[in-house]
Amino acid sequence: MSLRIGDTAPNFTIASQKGEITLYDWAGDSWVFFFSHPADFTPVCTTEMGRTAQLAAQFEKRNTKPLGLSTDTVEEHVKWIEDVNDTQNCDLQFPILADAHHKVAQLYDMIHPGESETAAVRSVFIIDPDRKIRLTMTYPMSVGRNFDEILRVIDALQSSDRHMIATPADWLPGEKVIIPPSVTDAQAEGQFPQGWEEIRPYLRLTEVQ
Ligand code: BEZ
């Protein structure tokens, strides 16, 4: 059975090119951007790994640790990372799990036999510091992920936790947010003293910092 939003992220211990990783210990108080890719030494994956490495400061700003996975070995990861750094002009420092025996890929349902019997698809799990899965995305092997969107959803999740709000379509940090319908106007007065714009009784927009 596949993992769903709200589920506890299963813990695991497995090798990476940065040494053995036990998810819960390694994550500590951070959020985790856990993402799988089909294979080392492949073109789309090389660009995705490079992009993640280039965005290291952006992930750090959001208290989020990137964690990659592919069904290859530590030795292959180490050689491939040299290529990633060379071709993508980066310095990849985050761990990539070496899941050659599919232990974690099976646990997180990352192998979709319609795509491949042996390689992981492009799964994303955003895991919060309470170890809850807060967002999942699944991309096919042929489509590289949009890393602006990955940063945006982390921003949206963290903002919704901080302010108890929801975010509208295409929201970006700094834009107006939504007061959830579960919050009555009387409650909203205490929670949002800055006020709000009521477009419909169920659609109220406000500003948060
Ligand atoms: C790639 O990363 O380029 C890739 C991997 C597996 C299938 C297709 C593309």
Side-chain angles (χ1 to χ4, degrees):
M1 170 135 146
S2 58
L3 293 168
R4 295 177 174 171
I5 290 173
D7 288 350
T8 298
N11 201 13
F12 53 76
T13 300
I14 191 168
S16 80
Q17 93 285 9
K18 293 283 186 186
E20 194 171 79
I21 298 256
T22 297
L23 176 67
Y24 288 6
D25 298 341
W26 175 81
D29 293 333
S30 298
W31 291 64
V32 177
F33 161 49
F34 182 31
F35 66 119
S36 59
H37 64 270
D40 295 1
F41 302 103
T42 53
V44 177
C45 300
T46 298
T47 62
E48 291 192 320
M49 290 294 148
R51 191 76 189 113
T52 306
Q54 289 163 3
L55 291 170
Q58 291 298 323
F59 284 111
E60 197 174 335
K61 197 170 131 189
R62 293 162 173 82
N63 184 31
T64 301
K65 293 181 171 176
L67 180 63
L69 174 149
S70 78
T71 53
D72 295 297
T73 63
V74 167
E75 293 70 30
E76 287 164 320
H77 287 356
V78 169
K79 285 196 202 119
W80 179 46
I81 288 167
E82 285 178 27
D83 278 1
V84 173
N85 287 339
D86 255 16
T87 61
Q88 308 303 304
N89 193 24
C90 61
D91 177 19
L92 192 156
Q93 290 296 336
F94 62 87
I96 304 175
L97 305 182
D99 194 23
H101 300 296
H102 306 174
K103 178 177 130 177
V104 178
Q106 299 281 7
L107 189 63
Y108 277 74
D109 196 27
M110 291 166 163
I111 295 181
H112 296 197
E115 278 278 277
S116 165
E117 295 281 350
T118 54
V121 294
R122 299 183 196 283
S123 300
V124 172
F125 294 87
I126 306 286
I127 301 167
D128 74 15
D130 293 330
R131 319 289 181 232
K132 290 281 177 237
I133 295 172
R134 300 293 300 276
L135 178 133
T136 65
M137 291 180 200
T138 309
Y139 275 51
M141 293 184 175
S142 57
V143 180
R145 284 159 282 208
N146 182 324
F147 285 78
D148 289 338
E149 172 62 2
I150 286 160
L151 294 176
R152 191 192 77 90
V153 293
I154 295 170
D155 284 335
L157 287 166
Q158 294 182 347
S159 186
S160 82
D161 283 3
R162 221 173 10 254
H163 302 292
M164 312 283 280
I165 49 84
T167 52
D170 297 334
W171 174 86
L172 288 171
E175 295 179 353
K176 287 186 178 174
V177 298
I178 289 174
I179 300 175
S182 57
V183 177
T184 64
D185 280 353
Q187 289 165 333
E189 271 168 29
Q191 213 173 314
F192 305 101
Q194 67 275 36
W196 62 87
E197 176 192 356
E198 183 175 297
I199 296 167
R200 290 287 184 278
Y202 59 83
L203 178 53
R204 295 164 296 172
L205 299 179
T206 190
E207 292 184 39
V208 292
Q209 295 304 314

